[in-house]
Amino acid sequence: MSIEKNLKKIRVQIPENVQLVCVSKFQPNKAILEAYHLGERIFGESRVQELCEKQKSLPGDIQWHFIGHLQTNKVKYIVPFVDLIHAVDSFRLLEEIDRNARKIGRVVRCLLEIHIARESSKFGFLPEQLIEMLKGEGWKNLHNVQICGLMGMATYTDNQTQIRQEFRNLKLLYDQLKDSFFSNEASFRELSIGMSNDFQIAIEEGSTIVRLGTCIFGERNCTVIT
Ligand SMILES: *Cc1c(COP(=O)(O)O)cnc(C)c1O
């Protein structure tokens, strides 16, 4: 199926209040431009070097989201242009993003990654850990990051009940944190859940951002990089 046909099929399934991030990791610039010319502006990448190369050679009005695990020593490369960092999984990383953003006078939007899956990802805060961090006041002094919500990945499984339960738990946590720590922060409003195999469930459970790769671009060829 073509990118155009795939996008047509997907767009009708995504409500207006849910943002589509086209996950373009391992996809060539040609594929990104095809989606761009069909109207897409938000693209997600998971590796710093690949993102930086693509950002330099593709249209300037693309909003680049970093969706992968981010190492603190690579923060400086993406802070100048990144629109949203999805997977902040430690206070140290948040501090490092803040420090780099302050140097260049930017405020960088971030999501906190929660470990919800039983096995899929080893990254992310445990809910208790995150609550501990938020109880500490340290994060409030980081004026060059804006915490916009939570991100999570469900277990990679065919068990839809399990996926739904994981998303539901994350939405409950999101509501609880919003109430306890961000009730005056209008910008805390995003829940980044849903990938190609589970985005319909994620939308039903309250997703505001879905991250779709395979169902738009087809299978990734992980050995060929643009
Ligand atoms: C690769 C990736 C996606 C997209 O996965 P698909 O199954 O191809 O839709 C979404 N989120 C993250 C964090 C990813 O690494």
Side-chain angles (χ1 to χ4, degrees):
M1 278 249 270
S2 71
I3 291 174
E4 182 170 14
K5 282 194 185 134
N6 290 341
L7 269 176
K8 268 202 183 125
K9 214 171 89 185
I10 291 159
R11 280 172 176 165
V12 296
Q13 301 180 69
I14 300 180
E16 247 172 62
N17 58 335
V18 176
Q19 267 193 343
L20 168 60
V21 177
C22 302
V23 175
S24 50
K25 63 187 185 196
F26 296 105
Q27 300 295 344
N29 288 354
K30 185 169 160 288
I32 298 176
L33 280 171
E34 197 175 332
Y36 177 88
H37 290 304
L38 293 163
E40 296 304 326
R41 289 296 179 270
I42 307 175
F43 292 88
E45 291 284 334
S46 60
R47 296 171 329 141
V48 168
Q49 194 185 343
E50 185 178 350
L51 170 57
C52 291
E53 282 166 12
K54 287 175 171 174
Q55 191 266 339
K56 274 188 218 119
S57 51
L58 287 163
D61 63 343
I62 289 180
Q63 295 158 45
W64 292 104
H65 286 200
F66 192 78
I67 63 170
H69 178 65
L70 181 56
Q71 290 169 284
T72 48
N73 63 338
K74 296 196 173 159
V75 166
K76 58 176 178 283
Y77 301 114
I78 66 168
V79 152
F81 65 87
V82 73
D83 184 63
L84 181 64
I85 298 177
H86 281 239
V88 175
D89 61 358
S90 70
F91 183 64
R92 191 166 153 253
L93 178 57
L94 197 62
E95 282 182 312
E96 192 61 15
I97 297 168
D98 179 73
R99 198 172 66 77
N100 282 276
R102 193 173 340 118
K103 278 193 206 161
I104 56 167
R106 276 199 89 200
V107 174
V108 173
R109 303 192 310 132
C110 295
L111 303 176
L112 303 170
E113 181 180 7
I114 309 297
H115 185 101
I116 50 170
R118 295 211 188 123
E119 86 293 309
S120 288
S121 160
K122 53 187 188 297
F123 299 116
F125 286 98
L126 295 174
E128 315 82 80
Q129 279 176 337
L130 179 57
I131 289 168
E132 273 312 298
M133 183 191 100
L134 293 172
K135 278 183 178 162
E137 300 282 292
W139 61 279
K140 291 188 180 163
N141 300 323
L142 308 179
H143 299 294
N144 292 77
V145 288
Q146 185 177 53
I147 300 176
C148 295
L150 305 182
M151 177 269 201
M153 266 184 279
T155 302
Y156 190 75
T157 170
D158 290 332
N159 184 340
Q160 310 237 327
T161 313
Q162 184 184 343
I163 293 172
R164 188 178 295 281
Q165 195 57 55
E166 290 176 359
F167 286 155
R168 195 166 288 181
N169 290 343
L170 185 56
K171 175 66 161 69
L172 284 171
L173 178 67
Y174 166 87
D175 289 338
Q176 183 195 343
L177 297 180
K178 173 105 187 146
D179 264 9
S180 311
F181 301 103
F182 298 98
S183 54
N184 296 318
E185 309 283 343
S187 49
F188 189 90
R189 56 161 191 231
E190 306 293 358
L191 188 56
S192 170
I193 49 173
M195 304 175 30
S196 291
N197 66 320
D198 58 21
F199 74 93
Q200 292 98 343
I201 303 175
I203 288 170
E204 287 166 13
E205 298 302 329
S207 173
T208 67
I209 304 178
V210 291
R211 310 176 309 266
L212 308 185
T214 314
C215 68
I216 297 173
F217 296 110
E219 291 298 326
R220 288 178 279 276
N221 181 350
C222 298
T223 57
V224 176
I225 302 157
T226 36

